[in-house]
Structure formats: C-alpha cells, structure tokens
Amino acid sequence: MSKTTIQDIARVAGVSKSTVSRVLNGTAAVNPEKKKAVLEAIDRLGFKPNLIASSLAGGRSMTIGVVTQLIGSPFYDTIAQGVVAELHETDYSPIFADGQWQATEELEAIQALMGRRVDGLVLIGGSLPGDEISDLCGDLPTVIVARQFSGRGNICISMDNELGSYQLTKHLIDKGHRKIAVVRGLEHHRDATDRFDGYQRALRDNGIGLDSRLVYQGDFSAESGMAAVDNLLAEKVEFTAVVAANDLTAFGVRLALHHHNVAVPEQVSIVGFDDQLETSFTIPPLTTLRQPAREMGSQASKALLEMIAGNNFSSKVFQGELVLRESVAEIAR
Amino acid sequence: MSKTTIQDIARVAGVSKSTVSRVLNGTAAVNPEKKKAVLEAIDRLGFKPNLIASSLAGGRSMTIGVVTQLIGSPFYDTIAQGVVAELHETDYSPIFADGQWQATEELEAIQALMGRRVDGLVLIGGSLPGDEISDLCGDLPTVIVARQFSGRGNICISMDNELGSYQLTKHLIDKGHRKIAVVRGLEHHRDATDRFDGYQRALRDNGIGLDSRLVYQGDFSAESGMAAVDNLLAEKVEFTAVVAANDLTAFGVRLALHHHNVAVPEQVSIVGFDDQLETSFTIPPLTTLRQPAREMGSQASKALLEMIAGNNFSSKVFQGELVLRESVAEIAR
DNA sequence: GTGCTCCTTGAAACCGATTTCATGGTAGCG
DNA sequence: CGCTACCATGAAATCGGTTTCAAGGAGCAC
C-alpha cells in the first residue's frame, strides 16, 4: 500500500503541500520548475493520492451510487453494464447496493449510498414510490432507469413497453392471427401491465375482442410460459399465436409446445420481448422486441454526469425495435 | 442531504464529539443517560454519519473493490451477483471497476480501486499475470474468482474446468459415442484450454484417438458453434456428438444442425458447459455441466471478509455438476 | 478522612487531502 | 523611481469523523 502522502511529495520536491495539490489538480498556475520537481517526486515515490481524503476535503466523492435489484435478469444486468461502461471513461466509480425488489431493502440501499456521500444515484428498476425517492434524495442528482415515473422532478430513462407490445401484437395480427394468447408478466409490475395494455390496444384497434381464456397470468419466468401452454391446451382453447411477457417466458412457451408436439411456427407463432442474446439461437429463432438495455444504462450515466455538471437533462423514453426472425408464420384468414 | 454532523449531535445532546463517536461505534462504555440523549438527538436530527470522514479517520474504507471484465457473459455476471449479494449483509459496499479483458485496463482498474483505499479486492476473471497482481496488491487482501493461479500467495476461487469437460466427454463415451467433435473456446483462454485438456484425457482414457478434423477452434460465441457445424458438414467429417465450449456455443451448434436438418439428439448429441438459465428450455433441453457461479461469487466475498478479519483462508476449487437433460442419446456401438 | 484505582468524559491531535488567506516578489505603468 | 496590481506560494483552516491522552469523579479499602 502506498503510504506516501502529499506531504512526502512536498518535502522531496521542496515545496509546500498546497503546491503539490495545485499540480495534482491544475487548480492554479505553478512555476514550471517546481511543477517538474513535483511530478518527478510523484513518479519516484510512486505516489497515488488518497481519494478518500480528497473526497472529504473536496466535498465530492467522485462516486456514483447504483441501486440494482439482484435478480439474475439479463435485461437488468445489461443495463448495469451500460452504466458501468459509461462511467469507465470518467473519474467516477460506481458503487453498488442492492434492493432485491423490495421497498425496504431499496430504501436501505439508497441510505447506505448516501452515507457514502455519492455524487449521484442511478436506480435500476425498483419498487420504491417515486415521491419517496424524491424526498429521500432531495437535491442529489438521481436517474431512474427502466422505470417510468409519475413522481416529481425525477429523470427517467425508460422504454415504451406499451408500444413495444402493441407492435408485436400488431405484427401477429398483420400476419393473419386473430386468436392470440398472452402470457402476462409479474402481477402489479408496471412493465407487465404496460405490455398487457399494448396487447389489448392492438386487439381493439383491429376489431378483435379480448378473450379472457387467452390471457394467462405469468411472472416473467420460463415456467410460467410452460404452464400457460399446458393450461391452454388442457382447456382446449384454440390459439394460433402467443405473446409472451418476455423472451424467457417465450422459451417456456416454445418448449411446452414442443412437448405437446405443436409445431412452431407452423401451428403456433410466438413473440417474445427483450431480445436477449440467446433468442437468435433458439429453434426457431425468436421474433421479439429489442430493448436497448446497454444503451439505456449508458444513457443513464450520461444523464447523471450532466446533472452533476449542473446541466439540465430531461427524461428519455426509448422505443424498442421489432426484430423479425422465424418464430412467426403467416396464416390464411 | 443531511448536513448534520457529529458536532451538531454533540451540541444538542450536551456531550462531546468523542462521546457521540463512542455511542456510534460502541468503542467504550458511556453513561446510559447520555447515550440515550445522543440517540435521541441522532434520531431527531436525522443524522447519518459521513462514511467518507469515518473512512479517513478510521483507516478503513469499508469498501470492497470488484474488478469485472464487462463482457455480457451470464457466467461472470452471476459471479458478480454472488459477490454483491454476500456483501449485502455486511457493512461493506462493493465498488466496481472494469478490466475489459485487457491487462492494461485491468491494471488501471486495480489502481483506481486502490486509490479509493478499498479494504479488499475481488478479481473476477481477468488476464493480468498472477505475479503482477501480487506485486500490485502487496498485502491488500485479494481474492481471484473463476481463474486458477500459479502466482504466489493469492487466494483463488475457481472451477475444475478440466474435470468438468472430462465428465461431459466421458458421459458421451459411456453413451456409445466415439466420433466426438469439439468446439474449443477462446484461444489462449485458460478455461478453454483446460476444457480441451479434459476432452482429450477422456478420449485417451477410453482408447479413442484424437482426430484433428473433429476439433474446431471457436471463441465461446454461438456463432463459432454454428461455424463449427457448417465446417464439419462441409468437410463431410462424420461425428455423432459435439462437446461445446460453453452453453452459448452449444446453442449455435444446435441451431446450425437444425438448419442442416440433423436431428438432435437422434443423429447428433450435444453437451454444453455452464448450465445457464436458458439451457433447460432449449429444444431439446441441454445436457451440460453446472458451474456454481453465484456460489463462487459469494464464496469469494466470504473469503475476502475472512482475510480482512485477519483469518486464514485457502483457495477453493469447485467441481461442476453434470446436469443430464435431453440433448444426448445413447447410440449402438 | 485519606489515598488509591478505575471509569467516564472532553480536549486535542490526527487522517490526507483542498482551499482560503496573507505575504513577498515581480511586473506594469505613470 | 514609486506606486499599484497581480501572481505564485506557503501557512493555516477545514472537511467530519476516530483515537489518544489527561483530568475529574466515583468507589473502595485502610
């Protein structure tokens, strides 16, 4: 551990601490010769400034708090990656705390990060009410990713889930499908309800009535996709396509259909949501809606840095991109 | 931002800073009444100690540096999750820096973390030579995950890749396969070479010669799995099974076979490596080797905390677990 | 009642930087 | 040549805690 301090450098270079600090931060002009002496001393002693001390003195910690919800979801993981990657170029370091999709945990996580005097906060997902977040964070720059908010004064980087689901459903309708089953995501989860809304709007816009027998309440898991299919088949409900809550659920749907010897896409078409890495390699490759997860993460970091710099930044809603692959077939009407 | 300091609490409670500090940390006995007064003041003013100041004064930052290699690999991500989850219960917070699988970046990442005076370091993967790590970190407690080391005095939490691959290959042999193709992982990557070694040993132990036409140099991607199959088929090399470098590669293999109308597992069996979430839902569900990624991560945190506490801890090599699903068929000899 | 120890407590030093402030020196200008 | 203005520089205060140290008080034994 480099125990050398700014004081040591000052002594070796024959200047004062103040001067060393000025060289380090370029806060003021210094005599070129002294500057050289300082730099040499730094190099020779292998000095690394103690960021903790500098945080305390400077009032800025150069850290960004990131609150995750540690469910091994590729989507959220990718967002986190984007956040970290974007910060990588800067002098800020991300410091993590986890909320586990539970309000109390999330609150603790935020408080822990604030105790560390982070300069900004990125919340990825989460279940804490918007206003509570505002109260908690006060004037601490805060960005919320993958979540849309009605709360006051928060910046959100989110996805238009309703539209995405609308597009997917519309795509199926355009291909001639009218008996379209849906596997919903986690109950009360905003993303899930938005997607379901998009599904409904697409049906409505095309004069197709909502058939409750085609709606299955899932939870974003593959298992719920399988259960949905088992259920549909057991009940002998006719359907030619399935809108899955996300890709993982679509995997489950697809596997269950396989078990029941239903051909995809010949007999039943499937669409997912997310476009996670594996979807291009399933059989058949899955038609889905790409969420720009990594980009959302890096956008969140960018927004936060702007806010910290004192600039304005407004919320951004991303639109997904329909990725057509082979899991949807056209059918005769 | 709570601007209240320990000084404010002291004033309100009518005691000295020292006493407040003692109440906060329980470092010494305090008069119950004063203690009560202090606690009340803390509660009333909503005081949260400034961890930065306390780090500086206390000499410990209560922070753990985690060096990742930001490739969106589910395996490494899961390890990171394990690390974070385990730390969640403690007063330590993980702070991230990324190495991008490049030695120079990794070096910078480590230095940045040391500048933050982390109390310990977890390296997930990485390419920096072991001795260099030792030099760099000195006596800073350090744990390396998902990597085996010859370097001196480092603690490693790793997987026996050679054995895992041996078991998978052996399983195929037991099922009657003798023409077993292999798609290797990234060149020069230790995990990849270990796995290839395991493959070779299994063949050797069972009197099967190594046929270089059955060996394809991949890179852990799904694309390389597809390319391998295309190649094998184009060259008209006979094979009845494929050992893929990891699950993702196996997905590629499986898709390419599908495109060529080769039935899995009837005509060709496949085994993967990792047991990532999606593998149980592919068609057919993939036989693979489960890596206890999350557990490795949490084990790493545990080890690190022990080391920080001054206790000894030795390296640990995990063994994977063969997960039998439906992608392997028995064939007549 | 005196002397001693033990315990609680506050004052002050300290952690390692940044930043303010005062000073001496130099340059510019009349 | 003298005055002001400015620049570079170091001393000292500061950030918000922890920890050492010495002192005051209580408790106990004689």
Side-chain angles (χ1 to χ4, degrees):
Chain A
M1 189 100 58
S2 94
K3 298 291 290 177
T4 37
T5 77
I6 203 176
Q7 190 65 271
D8 300 326
I9 302 299
R11 191 168 2 88
V12 172
V15 297
S16 73
K17 304 195 304 178
S18 322
T19 303
V20 178
S21 172
R22 287 191 259 261
V23 170
L24 246 29
N25 306 298
T27 22
V30 249
N31 182 313
E33 283 180 35
K34 300 202 175 184
K35 181 167 180 175
K36 187 155 156 279
V38 168
L39 292 176
E40 277 178 9
I42 289 178
D43 195 47
R44 194 152 62 78
L45 303 189
F47 166 75
K48 296 282 169 204
N50 182 330
L51 289 190
I52 300 231
S54 108
S55 295
L56 179 58
R60 300 167 317 157
S61 65
M62 301 306 286
T63 52
I64 299 293
V66 181
V67 177
T68 57
Q69 317 291 336
L70 270 199
I71 305 302
S73 142
F75 173 60
Y76 289 103
D77 284 357
T78 307
I79 293 177
Q81 281 179 27
V83 171
V84 175
E86 188 69 32
L87 252 27
H88 185 255
E89 298 301 312
T90 73
D91 287 332
Y92 287 89
S93 295
I95 177 162
F96 279 66
D98 191 55
Q100 315 217 42
W101 284 113
Q102 285 173 24
T104 54
E105 296 275 352
E106 194 176 342
L107 191 109
E108 267 180 46
I110 293 177
Q111 287 179 332
L113 293 173
M114 291 185 70
R116 292 218 131 81
R117 296 299 186 272
V118 294
D119 295 335
L121 217 44
V122 175
L123 307 181
I124 304 179
S127 39
L128 213 54
D131 285 342
E132 216 163 310
I133 293 179
S134 308
D135 289 346
L136 206 53
C137 300
D139 51 358
L140 181 68
T142 302
V143 172
I144 296 135
V145 198
R147 207 174 155 199
Q148 286 191 60
F149 251 13
S150 27
R152 60 174 185 280
N154 284 314
I155 296 277
C156 296
I157 307 291
S158 57
M159 251 289 297
D160 194 334
N161 282 288
E162 198 271 350
L163 178 61
S165 187
Y166 178 89
Q167 290 176 316
L168 287 164
T169 310
K170 178 73 165 41
H171 173 64
L172 289 172
I173 296 172
D174 288 347
K175 290 289 183 183
H177 295 272
R178 300 191 68 83
K179 293 173 185 161
I180 305 174
V182 62
V183 186
R184 302 183 62 171
L186 208 55
E187 219 169 342
H188 306 307
H189 192 296
R190 172 76 184 265
D191 290 359
T193 55
D194 282 357
R195 290 179 199 177
F196 184 61
D197 288 347
Y199 162 83
Q200 284 181 291
R201 181 163 65 93
L203 293 189
R204 205 181 319 123
D205 282 4
N206 291 275
I208 304 176
L210 178 68
D211 180 347
S212 66
R213 293 173 312 156
L214 290 171
V215 179
Y216 185 87
Q217 177 64 50
D219 58 7
F220 287 132
S221 72
E223 284 79 2
S224 69
M226 298 185 69
V229 169
D230 289 345
N231 196 60
L232 246 19
L233 261 31
E235 305 273 326
K236 300 204 192 308
V237 182
E238 275 185 47
F239 63 102
T240 65
V242 181
V243 173
N246 63 0
D247 286 349
L248 194 55
T249 297
F251 292 167
V253 167
R254 201 271 170 270
L255 180 58
L257 289 172
H258 173 71
H259 285 158
H260 289 287
N261 284 314
V262 177
V264 175
E266 293 77 8
Q267 293 175 268
V268 168
S269 295
I270 306 178
V271 296
F273 203 111
D274 278 349
D275 192 31
Q276 61 176 88
L277 189 57
E278 293 79 11
T279 55
S280 13
F281 303 102
T282 54
I283 296 179
L286 188 67
T287 286
T288 187
L289 191 98
R290 192 179 100 76
Q291 292 209 65
R294 196 178 179 99
E295 198 181 340
M296 285 170 71
S298 81
Q299 193 69 220
S301 286
K302 271 186 197 154
L304 194 57
L305 294 177
E306 288 293 332
M307 289 171 74
I308 291 174
N311 305 328
N312 269 16
F313 206 97
S314 46
S315 294
K316 178 157 186 176
V317 177
F318 279 84
Q319 291 193 6
E321 181 194 346
L322 198 56
V323 181
L324 302 179
R325 288 200 270 253
E326 306 164 26
S327 64
V328 174
E330 182 140 18
I331 65 172
R333 312 193 187 205
Chain B
M1 189 99 60
S2 94
K3 300 289 289 177
T4 36
T5 77
I6 202 176
Q7 189 66 268
D8 301 325
I9 302 298
R11 188 166 9 83
V12 172
V15 298
S16 73
K17 301 196 303 176
S18 324
T19 303
V20 177
S21 172
R22 288 191 259 261
V23 170
L24 246 30
N25 306 297
T27 23
V30 250
N31 182 312
E33 283 180 35
K34 301 203 174 184
K35 180 166 179 176
K36 186 156 157 279
V38 169
L39 291 177
E40 277 177 9
I42 289 179
D43 194 48
R44 194 151 63 78
L45 302 190
F47 167 76
K48 295 282 170 203
N50 182 330
L51 288 190
I52 300 228
S54 107
S55 295
L56 180 58
R60 302 167 316 158
S61 65
M62 299 307 286
T63 262
I64 300 292
V66 181
V67 177
T68 56
Q69 316 292 334
L70 270 198
I71 306 303
S73 141
F75 174 59
Y76 290 103
D77 285 358
T78 307
I79 292 177
Q81 281 178 28
V83 170
V84 174
E86 187 69 32
L87 252 27
H88 184 257
E89 298 301 312
T90 73
D91 287 333
Y92 287 89
S93 293
I95 176 163
F96 280 65
D98 191 55
Q100 317 218 41
W101 284 112
Q102 285 173 25
T104 53
E105 295 275 354
E106 193 176 342
L107 191 109
E108 266 181 47
I110 293 177
Q111 288 179 333
L113 292 173
M114 291 184 71
R116 291 218 133 80
R117 297 297 188 272
V118 294
D119 295 335
L121 217 43
V122 175
L123 308 180
I124 303 179
S127 40
L128 212 55
D131 285 343
E132 217 163 308
I133 293 178
S134 308
D135 289 347
L136 206 55
C137 300
D139 51 359
L140 181 68
T142 302
V143 172
I144 296 135
V145 198
R147 210 174 151 196
Q148 285 193 61
F149 252 12
S150 28
R152 61 176 186 281
N154 284 314
I155 295 279
C156 296
I157 306 291
S158 56
M159 251 289 297
D160 194 334
N161 281 287
E162 198 272 349
L163 178 62
S165 188
Y166 177 89
Q167 291 175 315
L168 286 164
T169 311
K170 179 72 165 39
H171 174 64
L172 288 171
I173 295 172
D174 289 347
K175 290 288 183 183
H177 296 270
R178 301 191 68 82
K179 293 173 183 160
I180 305 174
V182 62
V183 186
R184 302 184 62 172
L186 209 54
E187 220 169 341
H188 306 307
H189 192 296
R190 172 76 184 265
D191 291 358
T193 56
D194 282 358
R195 290 178 199 177
F196 184 60
D197 289 346
Y199 163 81
Q200 285 180 293
R201 181 163 65 92
L203 293 187
R204 206 181 317 120
D205 282 3
N206 292 276
I208 304 176
L210 179 68
D211 180 347
S212 66
R213 293 174 311 157
L214 290 171
V215 178
Y216 185 86
Q217 178 63 53
D219 58 6
F220 286 132
S221 72
E223 284 80 2
S224 69
M226 298 185 70
V229 168
D230 289 345
N231 197 60
L232 246 18
L233 260 31
E235 304 272 326
K236 300 206 192 310
V237 182
E238 274 184 48
F239 64 101
T240 64
V242 181
V243 173
N246 63 2
D247 286 349
L248 194 54
T249 298
F251 292 166
V253 168
R254 200 271 170 270
L255 180 59
L257 289 172
H258 173 70
H259 285 158
H260 289 287
N261 285 313
V262 177
V264 175
E266 293 77 6
Q267 293 174 270
V268 168
S269 295
I270 307 177
V271 296
F273 203 112
D274 278 349
D275 191 32
Q276 62 176 86
L277 188 56
E278 293 79 11
T279 55
S280 13
F281 303 102
T282 55
I283 297 178
L286 188 66
T287 287
T288 187
L289 191 97
R290 192 179 100 77
Q291 292 209 65
R294 195 178 178 98
E295 199 181 339
M296 286 169 72
S298 81
Q299 193 68 220
S301 286
K302 272 186 196 154
L304 194 57
L305 294 178
E306 287 293 332
M307 289 171 75
I308 290 174
N311 305 328
N312 268 17
F313 207 96
S314 45
S315 294
K316 177 156 189 177
V317 178
F318 279 83
Q319 291 193 4
E321 180 195 345
L322 198 56
V323 180
L324 302 179
R325 287 199 270 253
E326 306 164 28
S327 66
V328 174
E330 183 142 18
I331 64 172
R333 320 204 177 198

